[in-house]
Amino acid sequence: MQQLHSYLSGGWVYGQGKAREIRHAVSGETLYQVCSDGLPLAASLEYARRFGGRALAQMTFQQRAQMMKAVAKHLLAHKEALYRISYQTGATRSDGWVDIEGGIATLFAYAGLAGRELPDDTLWPEDETIPLSKQSQFAARHVLTSRPGVALHINAFNFPCWGMLEKLAPTWLAGMPAIVKPATATAQLTQAMVRLIVDSGLVPEGALQLVCGGIGDMFDRLDYQDAVTFTGSAQTGQRLRAHPRLLEKSIAFTMEADSLNCCVLAEDVTPDMPEFALFIKEVCREMTAKAGQKCTAIRRIIVPAAQVAAVRQALLQRLAGVTVGDPQLEQVRMGALVSHEQRDDVQQKVDFLLRNGCEPLCGGALAKLKVAGEGAQNGAFYPPTLLYCADPFSHQAVHGTEAFGPVATLMPYADSEQAIALALLGQGSLAGSLVTADPALATRFIRAAACAHGRMLILDQQAAAESTGHGSPLPMLVHGGPGRAGGGEELGGLRAVKHYMQRTAIQGSPAMLAAIGGEWVRGAPVNEHPVHPFRKYFEQLALGDSLLTARRTVTEADIVNFACLSGDHFYAHMDKLGAAESLFGERVAHGYFVVSAAAGLFVDPGVGPVIANYGMENLRFIEPVKIGDTIQVRLTCKKKIRKPQKTAEDRPHGVVVWDVQVLNQQQQAVALYSILTLVARQRGDFDA
């Protein structure tokens, strides 16, 4: 029997004390011993802050993103080793794919988000400047900085890889080290992935540590700059949330708990519609994927009373075709629960539901389960189990008791109001689904039920072709939910990164804000130089480099010619009488003509370092430009984002964000926006 080591303070260590055992979910054989007693758990917190935290804080967002991308590539190259260990947890290949490759994809996704949207700096200006005075010489903006603490991630057993990586991605991107404590039942898979990351040498020492076993008195050693996340049962989460140290130090605590998620079949759907088949397929998939061990799995199947019989028949027929057994067999569609203890817990919850208003439709009785595969008879298997609650308003147990396995309860409703009420009785869910072909019905339902859900799927025939399904968390969408679901929030794109950073409002002069934020802001000094900014390479450009262009007077011919060229003959530009009665009182130039004319004023036409226009942001037309008005442009280098060179053949470059102010003869702004250009670098990443 192997000892499952922890990785703390730069070494693999094992405790001294009573060990817990990890058994093979399929065969039942004992695989590992786990113990963390006597390990330097408190010292690991200081080690993370001193080494991992300092190293990450010195890296820019772009460097952290490149690190994460490299880690993701390394893990992907070694995924088969992880799949072999995933089998020990009872997972099928498709179950493992969600956990292993889904987690790796989350690292890729966050690396990509950062590469596109975050600065090549350690400070993140969150918004534009906010004027605080009439002359705009006193302003403010919000900035985000890395916290010199450590994130303690306490994870659930059902997703030992994805559960770790979906938290590590925003944590590392924020510049914070992490200590991961996986659930013991599947800790061997988390440990294998951590070992791959550590051995790769891609992550700074101290940025990732692992505790296999209990966390001892680590909570007592946490400080106000630290953060704690928890995924698991609501009961355990509430106990941890109330820890005196967390309350005393106001330590950030994020909880994501299991919830009684629902899937609602709308009143408009009948058995002959494609949405009905989609509903049946979605429910069965959520019941059997990961053997129902998903925090987002469908637990409550809410259908119109008139469709109960049809739904019941279709579900039973589909569930009867699910082969349970050894995940290595090709015909097996559902594997085992992670342990015999988990199987016993599921059975206890099913028994409780059966005593409190539910009746069995299939499953539940272990003696009737046929398990495919030699040597799998001692595994932690449990049959797909469908229950029925005829009166879900009188029997509240079905809305408060979760059997964390392949178990769901069918229940009827009389009308849309009852369907909404049943969805809300879950008292907070991670995910909910509505299957309907009626947009009006979907609108009413979502507006009424969204308040109790972290994520909601509206499934119809059109969406089904590309839908990721009811329970699939995506990196760019929030994962979490109110009430019973924990009240926390994970993922959600760059929103998640901000959870691990400190937001601070900085007040001062534009010059000070520009210096602190690493971005030029309006009102800060500019640098005018005889060399046109478009003649400078990326490295030569300095923030604040600026060009004040020549002037151009707008004529009637300009407006007429632009209308003919663009096809835009809007009355405010072309109809003298109509324009006289408009907001402007006379004809005005097209807004896009003003933008085009501005480009004609500030662009240097010759071949040079500027490769291409990359886009435009935050365009606002402030004042109308009338016939006879004269415009002029102030172009200023606002921000620089260095882009890594992927191959030696790629042209090295960066993105430069330019502030554009189009002014009239009174020096009033008529248009404000930013343009992004790709600008060549003089030196590439592969140069000697």
Side-chain angles (χ1 to χ4, degrees):
M1 189 187 310
Q2 298 183 50
Q3 293 179 336
L4 201 64
H5 289 68
S6 299
Y7 184 73
L8 299 171
S9 301
W12 291 98
V13 291
Y14 188 79
Q16 299 292 326
K18 185 178 181 180
R20 290 182 59 185
E21 293 183 348
I22 298 177
R23 293 180 178 272
H24 199 299
V26 177
S27 67
E29 65 177 308
T30 302
L31 298 174
Y32 305 95
Q33 287 185 328
V34 180
C35 179
S36 61
D37 296 347
L39 294 181
L41 299 174
S44 68
L45 291 166
E46 183 55 34
Y47 187 83
R49 299 182 189 113
R50 183 180 178 185
F51 294 101
R54 290 179 182 177
L56 288 170
Q58 291 172 1
M59 299 168 67
T60 69
F61 289 103
Q62 294 295 317
Q63 290 170 332
R64 296 170 199 159
Q66 287 303 304
M67 175 195 79
M68 287 162 48
K69 186 176 180 180
V71 169
K73 288 182 177 180
H74 180 74
L75 292 176
L76 202 58
H78 295 82
K79 65 180 181 180
E80 291 305 323
L82 297 173
Y83 274 113
R84 287 191 290 272
I85 299 174
S86 178
Y87 166 65
Q88 299 174 0
T89 71
T92 64
R93 178 80 183 193
S94 59
D95 293 337
W97 179 85
V98 174
D99 185 33
I100 297 167
E101 297 191 53
I104 296 171
T106 300
L107 279 183
F108 277 122
Y110 270 88
L113 280 172
R116 292 189 298 271
E117 301 185 34
L118 295 187
D120 191 17
D121 199 348
T122 58
L123 181 142
W124 179 0
E126 189 180 21
D127 51 17
E128 298 295 327
T129 54
I130 304 165
L132 300 177
S133 64
K134 290 184 178 179
Q135 301 301 318
S136 298
Q137 291 307 300
F138 182 56
R141 78 184 311 185
H142 293 91
V143 301
L144 294 159
T145 54
S146 297
R147 288 167 23 199
V150 58
L152 175 59
H153 295 313
I154 304 172
N155 296 332
F157 67 78
N158 52 341
F159 287 99
C161 293
W162 178 87
M164 175 178 69
L165 295 180
E166 62 105 6
K167 294 178 181 178
L168 277 181
T171 303
W172 280 344
L173 202 49
M176 212 176 197
I179 298 176
V180 175
K181 185 265 181 279
T184 300
T186 55
Q188 72 269 33
L189 183 51
T190 306
Q191 195 237 40
M193 180 170 274
V194 169
R195 191 178 288 275
L196 283 172
I197 296 172
V198 171
D199 291 347
S200 74
L202 295 169
V203 176
E205 181 54 53
L208 176 61
Q209 297 181 79
L210 175 74
V211 179
C212 292
I215 59 172
D217 63 347
M218 289 182 75
F219 266 50
D220 296 324
R221 308 306 177 103
L222 295 171
D223 210 343
Y224 78 100
Q225 293 283 8
D226 299 326
V228 178
T229 70
F230 170 79
T231 302
S233 73
Q235 183 179 6
T236 302
Q238 295 295 353
R239 178 172 55 82
L240 295 177
R241 193 201 298 271
H243 193 281
R245 184 68 172 182
L246 269 61
L247 299 176
E248 175 192 353
K249 294 291 185 178
S250 299
I251 296 170
F253 182 87
T254 299
M255 174 176 165
E256 187 260 281
D258 309 328
S259 57
L260 277 299
N261 310 291
C262 67
C263 185
V264 179
L265 182 68
E267 291 178 285
D268 64 300
V269 180
T270 58
D272 59 336
M273 294 173 62
E275 281 74 14
F276 186 88
L278 291 172
F279 176 82
I280 300 300
K281 180 180 179 181
E282 196 72 22
V283 169
C284 291
R285 180 172 60 184
E286 287 296 306
M287 286 181 65
T288 56
K290 292 285 291 185
Q293 300 169 114
K294 294 170 57 181
C295 56
T296 55
I298 295 168
R299 304 299 180 194
R300 298 178 300 144
I301 310 164
I302 302 172
V303 304
Q307 302 296 346
V308 167
V311 169
R312 171 177 172 168
Q313 180 182 356
L315 286 176
L316 290 175
Q317 181 178 354
R318 192 173 184 97
L319 290 172
V322 175
T323 303
V324 180
D326 187 335
Q328 290 185 322
L329 298 178
E330 186 178 351
Q331 70 270 28
V332 168
R333 292 295 174 266
M334 193 179 91
L337 300 180
V338 294
S339 66
H340 287 83
E341 292 80 8
Q342 180 62 21
R343 185 184 68 183
D344 293 343
D345 181 73
V346 170
Q347 186 62 56
Q348 289 173 11
K349 299 294 175 55
V350 170
D351 291 342
F352 179 80
L353 289 170
L354 291 175
R355 294 194 302 268
N356 288 272
C358 294
E359 58 182 276
L361 297 181
C362 73
L366 293 177
K368 297 180 181 179
L369 178 62
K370 294 182 179 180
V371 178
E374 295 182 9
Q377 302 308 311
N378 294 323
F381 295 97
Y382 196 85
T385 300
L386 182 65
L387 308 179
Y388 178 65
C389 181
D391 189 356
F393 287 101
S394 298
H395 298 99
Q396 294 296 304
V398 74
H399 306 296
T401 301
E402 180 181 26
F404 201 71
V407 182
T409 304
L410 177 65
M411 61 191 74
Y413 70 86
D415 53 35
S416 293
E417 292 305 314
Q418 282 198 357
I420 292 168
L422 288 173
L424 297 176
L425 281 176
Q427 300 182 62
S429 299
L430 294 170
S433 291
L434 174 69
V435 180
T436 181
D438 185 341
L441 194 155
T443 300
R444 290 195 301 272
F445 186 89
I446 296 299
R447 292 192 177 197
C451 61
H453 295 81
R455 180 160 40 89
M456 300 197 79
L457 167 69
I458 304 99
L459 188 62
D460 61 8
Q461 185 180 17
Q462 182 179 2
E466 297 181 308
S467 171
T468 53
H470 161 92
S472 302
L474 299 171
M476 65 288 296
L477 301 182
V478 166
H479 180 55
R484 181 187 172 92
E489 183 180 291
E490 299 171 355
L491 299 179
L494 295 180
R495 293 168 58 94
V497 180
K498 297 179 182 181
H499 297 329
Y500 300 97
M501 305 192 77
Q502 178 59 48
R503 177 182 289 107
T504 306
I506 307 297
Q507 298 169 273
S509 67
M512 288 296 182
L513 296 181
I516 293 168
E519 296 180 3
W520 181 86
V521 299
R522 289 172 189 155
V526 298
N527 314 311
E528 293 186 324
H529 193 271
V531 178
H532 193 288
F534 278 22
R535 308 305 301 173
K536 296 181 179 181
Y537 285 90
F538 184 84
E539 298 90 340
Q540 296 172 327
L541 277 168
L543 299 178
D545 281 359
S546 187
L547 170 71
L548 184 63
T549 72
R551 299 180 179 88
R552 171 173 178 169
T553 299
V554 177
T555 66
E556 181 180 18
D558 289 330
I559 297 174
V560 172
N561 289 335
F562 189 82
C564 293
L565 180 65
S566 65
D568 179 356
H569 293 84
F570 188 61
Y571 76 92
H573 312 309
M574 304 300 292
D575 184 344
K576 185 175 182 179
L577 296 180
E581 299 176 0
S582 71
L583 172 69
F584 309 114
E586 60 181 286
R587 283 185 293 166
V588 296
H590 304 70
Y592 294 111
F593 166 76
V594 174
V595 172
S596 299
L601 289 170
F602 67 67
V603 166
D604 183 279
V607 176
V610 175
I611 302 170
N613 188 328
Y614 190 57
M616 180 185 297
E617 295 178 340
N618 304 316
L619 172 62
R620 293 292 183 271
F621 296 116
I622 311 300
E623 296 287 341
V625 175
K626 301 176 181 179
I627 296 171
D629 282 352
T630 298
I631 61 173
Q632 186 178 29
V633 181
R634 165 71 73 180
L635 177 78
T636 308
C637 178
K638 177 181 180 180
K639 180 166 60 175
K640 296 168 59 181
I641 304 172
R642 182 185 179 279
K643 292 294 184 179
Q645 191 179 0
K646 296 180 180 179
T647 67
E649 290 72 31
D650 293 339
R651 187 175 183 183
H653 68 276
V655 175
V656 177
V657 181
W658 305 88
D659 179 80
V660 182
Q661 301 174 67
V662 185
L663 311 170
N664 63 16
Q665 62 271 24
Q666 283 86 37
Q667 291 299 293
Q668 296 174 309
V670 300
L672 299 172
Y673 54 100
S674 297
I675 61 166
L676 291 74
T677 59
L678 300 181
V679 179
R681 290 193 276 124
Q682 287 179 303
R683 185 177 178 85
D685 299 335
F686 297 89
D687 292 345

